[in-house]
Structures are given as C-alpha cells and as structure tokens.
Amino acid sequence: MEKLKPKLFSVMKTYTKEQFVKDVVAGIIVAIIALPLSIALALASGVGPEKGLYTAIVAGFVISALGGSRVQISGPTAAFATIVAGIVATSGMEGLAVATIMAGILLILMGVFRLGSLIRFIPYTITTGFTAGIAVTIAIGQIKDFLGLTYPKGTSPVETMEKVKAVITYIGTINIQALIVGVVCLAILILWPVLGHKLPGRLGKVISAIPASLLAVIAGIIMVSGLRMEVNTIGSLYEISNKPPVFSIPKINFTLINEQFGNALTIAILAAVESLLSCVVSDSMINSRHNSNMELAAQGVGNICSALFGGIPATGAIARTAANVKNGGRTPVSGMVHAVVLFLILVIFMPYAALIPMPAIAAILFMVAYNMCGFREFIYLIRTSPKSDISVLVVTFVLTVVFDLVVAIEIGIVFAAVLFMKRMSDVTQVEGWKYIENDNDPDAIELKAVPENTLVYEISGPMFFAAADKLLRITFRDNTRSLVIRMRSVSAVDATAMHNLEQLLDMCRSKGVHLILSHVNEQPMKVMQKSGFYEAVGAENFCKHIDDALVRAKEYNETV
C-alpha cells in the first residue's frame, strides 16, 4: 500500500543542478502558457481575472510541493468554469469559498482513506459525456464576447439555455469590429501551432515554443489599442488588481454548508477525476508512477489554500502538465517555479491585462472547449458502444448542457448503475440441465448421470438483488425428491439472494424435496454460514463437486 509521501521528498534525494536548470526553464514556459489561460478561465467562471492567477499561484505551488506526481501542473481548468459561475451567481464568492473548502476536505479524506483507486468506478461514458457537455457550455458562454453582442441593462443570463436564448434575441447587436478581432485571434490559435509543425529545423522549434494563446492576446491588444477599435476589453468590464493574494477566512455557517454540499461533492469528484487522469497521462510520458492517494490529499490541501487566498477550485491541468514534460520538467520543482513566476507577473505586469480584448479571451476559450470536448472519442463511442452505454453518454451530455453538472453527474451515475444491474441480471441465469438420452447427441458428452427423481439447476453469474428472483422460478416435478443447485459460477451473493435461497429451502421442505448445493465459492459460503443457512441445509449437503452432489442425491432418494 502506498504511503502518503509527497513526490518532492523522493526526487530530492537524487536532485542535480542540471535538472534544476531544466525545471526552472520548464516552469517559466508553463507560466507563460498558464497566464492567458488562467485569466480566461477566471472570466469564464464569473470572477475577476486576478482570481485565476491567485488559483494558479497558491494551488499550483501547494499541490506541486505536496503532490503524488513528479510533473503535475495544477490550476484553474475549464471543467470547473460552469459550476463555479453558477455558484458565484447564486451564492457569491462566500458560497464559492465554502464549497471549495468543503471539496478540499473531501479530497483529503479520499486520499487518507486510500480511495484513489475507486475513481475508476466512474464509467468512462459519464466522464466523456460531462466533459463534452462542459466544452459546449463554455463555447456557448463565449459567443456574446466573440460577436461583441450588447445586452440590455439587467440582462445577465446564467444557465446555458438562457445564454442561447439571449444570443438569439440580441444577435442584431453584433459588433463587426469585435468579430474581426475574435476571428484574427482564433486564426492565430489554430494556425500558429500548425506552422510550428510544418516548418523544419530550428525555426519550427522556435515557433512551437511561443504559446499561441500569448501571441493571440498580444495581437488582439495591438489591433484594439493601435487601431482604436470600439471593442470591450478586460479593463472596460472588470476592475484589475495587481495585489498579491491575501489570506481571508470566509464566513461559514450551517445553512451555507448545507446549501453547498452538493456543489462541493461535484467539485471534489471533478478534481479527483481530472487530476488522476492527468497523472496517468504524464506517467506514460516520463515512464513514472504517481501516488494517487497522495495526489488527492494534495489537491485537497491546494483547494483549501486557494479558497483561503481568494482563488477558485483547482485541479491537474493535462495541457499544462504535458507542456511541462515536453520542456524538460521532471520534478515538482518546475510546478513550484511556475507558481512563483506567475506571482511576479501578477505583481509587475497585471495592470497591462486591462488591455486584453474580450474577443481574444473568447477565442482562447473556444480553443479550450474544442481541445477538451473530445468529439472524435464521443462519436467513436456512439458508433461502437452497446446501447446502454450510448444512452448514459447522451443523457449525461444533454443534462450537462441543459441543466448543470451536478444534475448530470448524479443522474448519470444512477442511470449507469441501473443499466449495469440490468445487464448483470440478464447474464445471470438459473437453468435446469437438459436430459438427453441420445448418446450420439454432441451435447451428451457434457452430461452427467442424474439419479431418478432428481433435478439439477446450474446458476451462472453473481446472485444479487436484480437477479435473485430467478431462484424462485425453479419448478418441481411431482416425483422430485432431490434438488441439486450447482454454484461453481456464482462469485458472490447479496442479502436479497440469500433471502431467496432461504425461501427456496422452505419451498423444498414444504414439497418434501431434499436440497443439495454443489461447489459453493468462498464469498457465498461465508454469507451462508453467517446467515445460518449453512446449518439449516446441513453440512453434509454442501458438496465440493457436482459428482459428489449427484451421489448424495442418489443416496437420499434410495432411502426415501
């Protein structure tokens, strides 16, 4: 079992000056990439631009220092944007701080109680569905700024469907200048990486090293400021602050805790899933292995610290983590350097963020939504998955877009669980043996010699509440004296199945039929012994092999 030990402690034993230089370089590059993304994601979350940097600085440093991954970079991510915006709109920053702190506590508990491996029980169709849904909601939320639409005073839609309705209603207020800025920035975001890959040698490497998002922001500032275009900027809509994050404890009361528990649980699940997925991806890139429980605990501490310093929820960011690895980062030091560099940028250069045009931010978030939506995987699952999995995928996606993430995850998991139980119920069979006298029949090879007045039923699959009723469908003949239940394929039974077995025993006794069980596996045997069923049937009627059970049935029938 993995110990809760931060990776930083392990890697420092063999740390070198050469690796320190590589980590510093990687940290600086990742900070440059994270700068526009942190601002954009903060705005998409309905909070001030500096809140995104607070999150990347505080949570990024803490999680790197305490985390279970060598190269994980944490900060604000698109997965949280819609749920954070909803919390801020209804409960303000106080509600968000309480929800984030509670989520942090839940993440710490997940790590302490070694629940890191349980994340795999969330179906892939659910994670794919809500990730695609989040991408769509982010894209819809940026249409207003990309087109430069003007809403009447007092019109501030929060829900995704409300935003769609507002865009349709006020599409006539489109600002062509804003659209031009947005299109140019989006073109840079799309074409700049392609250019870097196409050009050979050093020039291609230099171009690839310059983040397209940073270039798009600079181009947007030059267009709007240089050409004096009438386009909204961050400074015209938000108050910009270059003050460092300040420690502050939110006012916590029972009512607020009760209101935000559902949001906290959703944030915790999202943070756990996304951070561990990012760890798995980075492990394959550096041929390493992360400590999932330590990572969850670190994510919890990082989120608590983020909330106490005015930030928003944070988790592992796959794109920034991949950039860290590609630029030579191999220890948590690079993540800590990234946070320090962002702090210096916040204090020194944050006032210049006021010049960033809103269409440039919208273009960046369009690319974030595109990169996270995984539409190819979505389509592949639609084409190749069973109908039950497709229904879970589509339901989760639609609920995320139409309602919210909390509803989508809750209903998605319940729906997936119900369909899973239905599927397991379908594969669990209680079937009687076929009695064939023709020795030439190919099926006869597998048959045993069944004594007269004996029925043999074989159970295939786990016996749980959704399939337990099949036990009571066993039918007796008028001359039946013994019933043999073969259980070699039954890996587990639950309380409902045990209750039905007891009912079957009562039915046998009422009809004068002797019950014999064959090849009862370890878990079912323990349950039977604990419930008293073992004693009720009699130890002599539990046989290790079907041949022994048939001999036992024959002996009993001859004595009746």
Side-chain angles (χ1 to χ4, degrees):
M1 184 177 288
E2 294 177 324
K3 295 181 179 179
L4 292 178
K5 180 181 179 182
K7 279 290 182 184
L8 181 64
F9 296 173
S10 302
V11 300
M12 294 309 291
K13 295 177 181 178
T14 57
Y15 200 58
T16 62
K17 292 181 180 179
E18 292 79 8
Q19 186 56 54
F20 176 72
V21 172
K22 291 180 181 178
D23 285 338
V24 169
V25 171
I28 293 172
I29 293 173
V30 173
I32 294 171
I33 295 172
L35 174 63
L37 283 176
S38 298
I39 293 174
L41 291 168
L43 296 178
S45 301
V47 298
E50 72 280 357
K51 302 294 186 183
L53 292 181
Y54 291 173
T55 308
I57 292 167
V58 177
F61 188 92
V62 171
I63 294 171
S64 290
L66 301 178
S69 169
R70 296 171 65 97
V71 293
Q72 178 91 289
I73 301 294
S74 295
T77 66
F80 292 125
T82 53
I83 188 171
V84 170
I87 296 172
V88 172
T90 56
S91 306
M93 288 301 297
E94 287 284 335
L96 177 62
V98 170
T100 306
I101 290 172
M102 290 170 63
I105 294 171
L106 290 173
L107 283 164
I108 292 173
L109 292 175
M110 288 182 192
V112 170
F113 290 104
R114 307 293 199 274
L115 300 182
S117 60
L118 295 183
I119 299 300
R120 69 179 186 271
F121 291 112
I122 297 178
Y124 183 59
T125 47
I126 289 180
T127 57
T128 303
F130 74 62
T131 300
I134 291 169
V136 171
T137 59
I138 290 172
I140 291 173
Q142 300 311 306
I143 295 175
K144 174 184 179 291
D145 289 328
F146 190 81
L147 300 178
L149 302 181
T150 302
Y151 293 170
K153 191 174 182 180
T155 302
S156 54
V158 176
E159 301 296 334
T160 303
M161 291 298 101
E162 292 176 351
K163 292 177 182 178
V164 172
K165 183 179 178 181
V167 168
I168 295 172
T169 303
Y170 303 109
I171 191 67
T173 64
I174 186 171
N175 182 340
I176 299 300
Q177 293 184 2
L179 178 59
I180 291 172
V181 173
V183 169
V184 170
C185 292
L186 188 60
I188 292 172
L189 291 166
I190 295 171
L191 298 177
W192 188 255
V194 175
L195 184 64
H197 285 103
K198 291 285 185 182
L199 292 177
R202 190 171 225 174
L203 181 59
K205 290 182 179 179
V206 171
I207 290 176
S208 297
I210 301 174
S213 57
L214 183 63
L215 195 64
V217 165
I218 294 172
I221 292 174
I222 292 173
M223 290 177 67
V224 173
S225 299
L227 301 176
R228 298 190 179 280
M229 302 174 77
E230 294 184 4
V231 176
N232 284 333
T233 63
I234 292 178
S236 66
L237 299 179
Y238 300 93
E239 185 179 339
I240 300 296
S241 172
N242 65 341
K243 294 179 181 178
V246 178
F247 181 82
S248 176
I249 300 176
K251 296 178 181 178
I252 301 175
N253 55 66
F254 181 78
T255 301
L256 202 54
I257 291 174
N258 188 47
E259 288 176 355
Q260 297 302 325
F261 181 78
N263 290 325
L265 184 60
T266 302
I267 292 171
I269 292 174
L270 275 178
V273 171
E274 192 165 1
S275 64
L276 295 184
L277 284 176
S278 179
C279 285
V280 171
V281 172
S282 63
D283 282 352
S284 63
M285 296 176 71
I286 63 172
N287 193 26
S288 180
R289 187 168 179 268
H290 71 280
N291 183 329
S292 59
N293 296 311
M294 187 67 246
E295 182 64 26
L296 289 180
Q299 291 289 339
V301 176
N303 273 279
I304 292 173
C305 292
S306 177
L308 293 176
F309 282 91
I312 60 178
T315 187
I318 295 176
R320 276 160 272 175
T321 299
N324 181 36
V325 173
K326 289 177 182 177
N327 287 285
R330 289 297 181 274
T331 75
V333 172
S334 59
M336 297 161 71
V337 169
H338 134 271
V340 172
V341 172
L342 282 176
F343 177 81
L344 296 175
I345 293 173
L346 168 70
V347 175
I348 300 171
F349 297 108
M350 191 59 182
Y352 296 103
L355 302 174
I356 301 175
M358 294 305 296
I361 294 294
I364 291 172
L365 289 170
F366 277 154
M367 288 305 299
V368 169
Y370 173 79
N371 290 328
M372 77 175 293
C373 73
F375 73 93
R376 291 186 179 87
E377 186 64 22
F378 193 95
I379 294 172
Y380 176 78
L381 289 173
I382 291 288
R383 290 172 53 194
T384 60
S385 301
K387 291 181 180 179
S388 58
D389 288 333
I390 294 173
S391 61
V392 171
L393 174 69
V394 173
V395 165
T396 306
F397 171 76
V398 172
L399 289 175
T400 302
V401 175
V402 176
F403 295 99
D404 59 51
L405 199 57
V406 177
V407 173
I409 291 179
E410 288 174 350
I411 295 180
I413 290 177
V414 171
F415 192 33
V418 170
L419 289 175
F420 172 76
M421 289 185 290
K422 172 66 169 59
R423 191 181 304 165
M424 293 304 296
S425 173
D426 290 342
V427 300
T428 300
Q429 300 294 332
V430 179
E431 295 181 330
W433 278 12
K434 296 178 181 178
Y435 300 90
I436 302 172
E437 297 179 359
N438 185 1
D439 292 338
N440 296 322
D441 191 294
D443 291 335
I445 300 174
E446 301 297 328
L447 296 181
K448 303 288 184 180
V450 178
E452 292 183 4
N453 304 329
T454 300
L455 289 179
V456 180
Y457 275 80
E458 182 155 359
I459 306 176
S460 302
M463 291 303 300
F464 66 114
F465 60 89
D469 65 306
K470 295 181 180 180
L471 283 168
L472 303 180
R473 298 178 192 172
I474 293 175
T475 55
F476 300 100
R477 299 174 182 173
D478 292 338
N479 63 344
T480 301
R481 293 290 175 267
S482 294
L483 171 64
V484 177
I485 304 292
R486 194 182 195 188
M487 300 183 66
R488 60 175 179 170
S489 300
V490 180
S491 56
V493 299
D494 69 356
T496 304
M498 198 64 252
H499 174 70
N500 286 10
L501 277 170
E502 290 169 351
Q503 285 187 285
L504 179 63
L505 177 61
D506 292 340
M507 193 188 307
C508 288
R509 287 174 172 171
S510 67
K511 295 181 179 296
V513 176
H514 189 66
L515 181 62
I516 303 169
L517 291 95
S518 161
H519 200 146
V520 180
N521 290 306
E522 183 178 358
Q523 191 273 352
M525 180 64 80
K526 287 182 179 179
V527 175
M528 291 177 183
Q529 290 173 338
K530 189 175 181 180
S531 67
F533 182 79
Y534 182 84
E535 293 181 359
V537 174
E540 68 279 5
N541 295 314
F542 282 83
C543 302
K544 292 184 178 180
H545 194 272
I546 185 62
D547 291 340
D548 301 329
L550 295 176
V551 170
R552 172 67 182 155
K554 184 178 180 181
E555 292 174 350
Y556 175 79
N557 293 348
E558 289 176 350
T559 61
V560 176

Coordinates of all heavy atoms in Angstrom, one line a residue, residues 368-409:
V368 N -10.0 26.1 -26.0 CA -10.0 25.3 -24.8 C -11.2 24.3 -24.9 O -11.1 23.1 -24.6 CB -10.2 26.1 -23.5 CG1 -10.5 25.3 -22.3 CG2 -8.9 26.9 -23.3
A369 N -12.4 24.8 -25.3 CA -13.6 24.0 -25.4 C -13.3 22.9 -26.5 O -13.7 21.7 -26.3 CB -14.8 24.8 -25.7
Y370 N -12.8 23.3 -27.6 CA -12.5 22.3 -28.7 C -11.6 21.2 -28.2 O -11.8 20.0 -28.5 CB -11.9 23.1 -29.9 CG -11.5 22.1 -31.0 CD1 -12.4 21.6 -31.9 CD2 -10.1 21.8 -31.1 CE1 -12.0 20.7 -32.9 CE2 -9.7 20.9 -32.1 CZ -10.7 20.4 -33.0 OH -10.2 19.5 -34.0
N371 N -10.5 21.6 -27.5 CA -9.5 20.6 -27.1 C -10.0 19.7 -26.1 O -9.6 18.5 -26.0 CB -8.2 21.4 -26.6 CG -7.5 22.0 -27.7 OD1 -7.4 21.6 -28.8 ND2 -6.8 23.2 -27.4
M372 N -11.0 20.2 -25.2 CA -11.4 19.3 -24.2 C -12.7 18.5 -24.6 O -13.0 17.5 -23.9 CB -11.8 20.1 -22.9 CG -13.0 20.9 -23.0 SD -13.4 21.7 -21.4 CE -13.7 20.4 -20.3
C373 N -13.4 18.8 -25.7 CA -14.6 18.2 -26.0 C -14.5 16.7 -26.4 O -15.4 15.9 -26.1 CB -15.4 19.0 -27.1 SG -14.7 18.8 -28.7
G374 N -13.3 16.4 -27.0 CA -13.1 15.0 -27.4 C -14.2 14.5 -28.3 O -14.7 13.4 -28.1
F375 N -14.5 15.3 -29.3 CA -15.7 14.9 -30.2 C -15.4 13.6 -31.0 O -16.3 12.8 -31.2 CB -16.0 16.1 -31.2 CG -15.0 16.3 -32.3 CD1 -15.2 15.6 -33.5 CD2 -13.9 17.1 -32.1 CE1 -14.4 15.8 -34.6 CE2 -13.0 17.2 -33.2 CZ -13.2 16.6 -34.4
R376 N -14.1 13.4 -31.3 CA -13.8 12.1 -32.0 C -14.1 10.9 -31.1 O -14.7 9.9 -31.6 CB -12.4 12.1 -32.4 CG -12.0 13.1 -33.6 CD -10.6 13.0 -34.0 NE -10.3 13.9 -35.1 CZ -9.8 15.1 -34.9 NH1 -9.7 15.6 -33.6 NH2 -9.6 15.9 -35.9
E377 N -13.7 11.0 -29.9 CA -14.0 9.9 -28.9 C -15.5 9.8 -28.7 O -16.0 8.6 -28.6 CB -13.3 10.1 -27.6 CG -13.4 9.0 -26.6 CD -12.7 7.7 -27.1 OE1 -11.8 7.8 -28.0 OE2 -13.0 6.7 -26.6
F378 N -16.2 10.9 -28.6 CA -17.6 10.9 -28.4 C -18.3 10.2 -29.6 O -19.2 9.3 -29.4 CB -18.1 12.4 -28.4 CG -19.5 12.5 -27.9 CD1 -19.8 12.8 -26.5 CD2 -20.6 12.4 -28.7 CE1 -21.1 12.9 -26.1 CE2 -21.9 12.5 -28.3 CZ -22.2 12.8 -26.9
I379 N -17.9 10.5 -30.8 CA -18.5 9.9 -32.0 C -18.2 8.4 -32.0 O -19.0 7.5 -32.4 CB -18.1 10.6 -33.3 CG1 -18.6 12.0 -33.3 CG2 -18.5 9.8 -34.5 CD1 -18.1 12.9 -34.4
Y380 N -16.9 8.1 -31.7 CA -16.5 6.7 -31.7 C -17.3 5.8 -30.7 O -17.7 4.7 -31.0 CB -15.0 6.6 -31.3 CG -14.5 5.2 -31.2 CD1 -14.2 4.4 -32.3 CD2 -14.3 4.6 -29.9 CE1 -13.7 3.1 -32.2 CE2 -13.8 3.3 -29.8 CZ -13.5 2.6 -31.0 OH -13.1 1.3 -30.8
L381 N -17.6 6.4 -29.5 CA -18.4 5.7 -28.5 C -19.8 5.5 -29.0 O -20.4 4.4 -28.8 CB -18.4 6.4 -27.2 CG -17.1 6.4 -26.4 CD1 -17.2 7.3 -25.2 CD2 -16.8 5.0 -26.0
I382 N -20.4 6.5 -29.7 CA -21.7 6.4 -30.3 C -21.8 5.3 -31.3 O -22.8 4.5 -31.4 CB -22.1 7.7 -30.9 CG1 -22.3 8.8 -29.9 CG2 -23.4 7.6 -31.8 CD1 -23.6 8.7 -29.0
R383 N -20.7 5.1 -32.1 CA -20.7 4.1 -33.2 C -20.5 2.7 -32.7 O -21.0 1.8 -33.3 CB -19.7 4.5 -34.2 CG -20.0 5.8 -35.0 CD -18.8 6.2 -35.9 NE -18.3 5.1 -36.7 CZ -17.2 5.1 -37.3 NH1 -16.4 6.1 -37.2 NH2 -16.8 4.0 -38.0
T384 N -19.7 2.6 -31.6 CA -19.2 1.2 -31.3 C -19.7 0.7 -30.0 O -19.6 -0.5 -29.7 CB -17.7 1.2 -31.2 OG1 -17.2 2.2 -30.2 CG2 -17.1 1.7 -32.5
S385 N -20.3 1.5 -29.1 CA -20.7 1.0 -27.8 C -22.1 0.4 -27.7 O -22.9 0.6 -28.6 CB -20.7 2.2 -26.8 OG -19.4 2.8 -26.7
P386 N -22.3 -0.5 -26.7 CA -23.7 -1.0 -26.5 C -24.7 0.1 -26.3 O -24.3 1.2 -25.9 CB -23.5 -1.9 -25.3 CG -22.1 -2.1 -25.1 CD -21.4 -1.0 -25.7
K387 N -26.0 -0.2 -26.6 CA -27.0 0.8 -26.5 C -27.1 1.4 -25.1 O -27.4 2.6 -24.9 CB -28.3 0.3 -26.9 CG -28.5 -0.1 -28.4 CD -29.8 -0.6 -28.7 CE -29.9 -1.0 -30.2 NZ -31.2 -1.5 -30.5
S388 N -26.9 0.6 -24.1 CA -27.0 1.1 -22.7 C -25.9 2.2 -22.4 O -26.1 3.2 -21.8 CB -26.9 0.0 -21.7 OG -25.7 -0.7 -21.9
D389 N -24.7 1.9 -22.9 CA -23.6 2.9 -22.7 C -23.8 4.1 -23.5 O -23.5 5.2 -23.0 CB -22.2 2.2 -23.1 CG -21.8 1.2 -22.1 OD1 -22.1 1.3 -21.0 OD2 -21.1 0.3 -22.5
I390 N -24.4 4.0 -24.7 CA -24.7 5.2 -25.5 C -25.7 6.0 -24.8 O -25.6 7.3 -24.8 CB -25.2 4.7 -26.9 CG1 -24.1 4.0 -27.7 CG2 -25.7 5.9 -27.7 CD1 -24.5 3.4 -29.0
S391 N -26.7 5.4 -24.2 CA -27.8 6.2 -23.5 C -27.2 6.9 -22.3 O -27.6 8.1 -22.1 CB -28.9 5.2 -23.1 OG -28.4 4.3 -22.2
V392 N -26.3 6.3 -21.6 CA -25.6 7.0 -20.5 C -24.8 8.2 -21.0 O -24.9 9.3 -20.4 CB -24.7 6.0 -19.7 CG1 -23.9 6.8 -18.6 CG2 -25.5 5.0 -19.0
L393 N -24.1 8.0 -22.0 CA -23.2 9.1 -22.6 C -24.1 10.2 -23.1 O -23.8 11.4 -22.7 CB -22.5 8.5 -23.8 CG -21.7 9.5 -24.7 CD1 -20.5 10.0 -23.9 CD2 -21.2 8.8 -26.0
V394 N -25.2 10.0 -23.8 CA -26.0 11.0 -24.3 C -26.8 11.7 -23.2 O -26.9 13.0 -23.2 CB -27.0 10.5 -25.4 CG1 -28.0 11.5 -25.8 CG2 -26.2 9.9 -26.6
V395 N -27.3 11.0 -22.3 CA -28.1 11.6 -21.2 C -27.2 12.5 -20.3 O -27.6 13.6 -20.0 CB -28.7 10.5 -20.3 CG1 -29.1 11.0 -18.9 CG2 -29.8 9.8 -21.0
T396 N -26.0 12.0 -20.0 CA -25.0 12.9 -19.3 C -24.7 14.1 -20.0 O -24.6 15.2 -19.4 CB -23.7 12.1 -18.9 OG1 -24.1 10.9 -18.3 CG2 -22.8 12.9 -18.0
F397 N -24.4 14.0 -21.3 CA -24.1 15.2 -22.1 C -25.2 16.2 -22.2 O -25.0 17.4 -21.9 CB -23.8 14.7 -23.6 CG -23.6 15.8 -24.6 CD1 -22.5 16.6 -24.6 CD2 -24.6 16.1 -25.5 CE1 -22.3 17.6 -25.5 CE2 -24.5 17.1 -26.4 CZ -23.3 17.9 -26.4
V398 N -26.4 15.7 -22.4 CA -27.6 16.6 -22.6 C -27.9 17.3 -21.2 O -28.2 18.5 -21.2 CB -28.8 15.8 -23.1 CG1 -30.1 16.7 -23.0 CG2 -28.6 15.3 -24.5
L399 N -27.8 16.5 -20.1 CA -28.1 17.1 -18.8 C -27.1 18.2 -18.4 O -27.4 19.2 -17.8 CB -28.2 16.0 -17.8 CG -29.4 15.0 -17.8 CD1 -29.2 14.0 -16.8 CD2 -30.7 15.8 -17.6
T400 N -25.8 17.9 -18.8 CA -24.8 18.9 -18.5 C -25.1 20.2 -19.2 O -24.9 21.3 -18.7 CB -23.4 18.4 -18.9 OG1 -23.1 17.2 -18.3 CG2 -22.3 19.4 -18.6
V401 N -25.5 20.1 -20.5 CA -25.8 21.3 -21.3 C -27.1 22.0 -20.9 O -27.1 23.2 -20.7 CB -25.8 21.0 -22.8 CG1 -26.2 22.2 -23.6 CG2 -24.4 20.5 -23.3
V402 N -28.1 21.2 -20.7 CA -29.5 21.8 -20.5 C -29.6 22.2 -19.0 O -30.2 23.3 -18.8 CB -30.6 20.8 -20.9 CG1 -31.9 21.3 -20.6 CG2 -30.5 20.5 -22.4
F403 N -29.1 21.4 -18.1 CA -29.3 21.8 -16.7 C -27.9 22.2 -16.1 O -27.5 23.3 -16.3 CB -29.9 20.6 -15.9 CG -31.3 20.2 -16.4 CD1 -31.5 19.2 -17.3 CD2 -32.4 21.0 -15.9 CE1 -32.8 18.9 -17.7 CE2 -33.7 20.7 -16.3 CZ -33.9 19.7 -17.2
D404 N -27.3 21.3 -15.4 CA -26.0 21.7 -14.9 C -25.2 20.4 -14.5 O -25.7 19.3 -14.6 CB -26.0 22.6 -13.6 CG -26.8 21.9 -12.5 OD1 -26.5 20.8 -12.1 OD2 -27.7 22.6 -11.9
L405 N -24.0 20.6 -14.2 CA -23.1 19.4 -13.9 C -23.5 18.6 -12.8 O -23.3 17.3 -12.8 CB -21.6 20.0 -13.7 CG -20.5 19.0 -13.9 CD1 -20.5 18.4 -15.3 CD2 -19.2 19.7 -13.7
V406 N -24.0 19.2 -11.7 CA -24.4 18.4 -10.5 C -25.5 17.4 -10.9 O -25.4 16.2 -10.6 CB -24.9 19.4 -9.4 CG1 -25.4 18.6 -8.2 CG2 -23.8 20.3 -9.0
V407 N -26.5 17.9 -11.6 CA -27.6 17.1 -12.1 C -27.1 16.0 -13.0 O -27.5 14.8 -12.9 CB -28.7 17.9 -12.8 CG1 -29.8 17.0 -13.4 CG2 -29.4 18.9 -11.8
A408 N -26.2 16.3 -13.9 CA -25.7 15.4 -14.9 C -24.9 14.2 -14.2 O -25.2 13.1 -14.6 CB -24.8 16.1 -15.9
I409 N -24.1 14.6 -13.3 CA -23.3 13.5 -12.6 C -24.2 12.6 -11.8 O -24.1 11.4 -11.8 CB -22.2 14.1 -11.8 CG1 -21.1 14.8 -12.7 CG2 -21.5 13.1 -10.9 CD1 -20.0 15.4 -12.0

